[in-house]
Amino acid sequence: MTPAATPATFGLIVRRRREALGMTQAELGQRSAVTRTYVSALENGHKNPTLETQTRVAEALGIDLSELVREAEEKR
């Protein structure tokens, strides 16, 4: 994440993308190798994911990480 893409805005974009795909938090967690509770904390801005985790989440959502970060930067 860049300084403009805070954990809260990143999490908001992750949630919007996940919901648009009709995916549950559990499904996203399973696809990105994290727990459902981690996904919940991420979406609520309580986690600052590593680059590896950000990449796995983006891939699970079917989007490039750069696009996910760009959306988070624009939202801020």
Side-chain angles (χ1 to χ4, degrees), residues 32-65:
S32 56
V34 297
T35 65
R36 184 207 55 79
T37 55
Y38 185 93
V39 172
S40 176
L42 175 68
E43 290 182 350
N44 287 303
H46 300 298
K47 292 288 184 185
N48 192 2
T50 64
L51 182 57
E52 181 180 343
T53 301
Q54 291 175 48
T55 301
R56 288 194 319 257
V57 168
E59 288 174 355
L61 294 170
I63 187 172
D64 289 331
L65 177 58

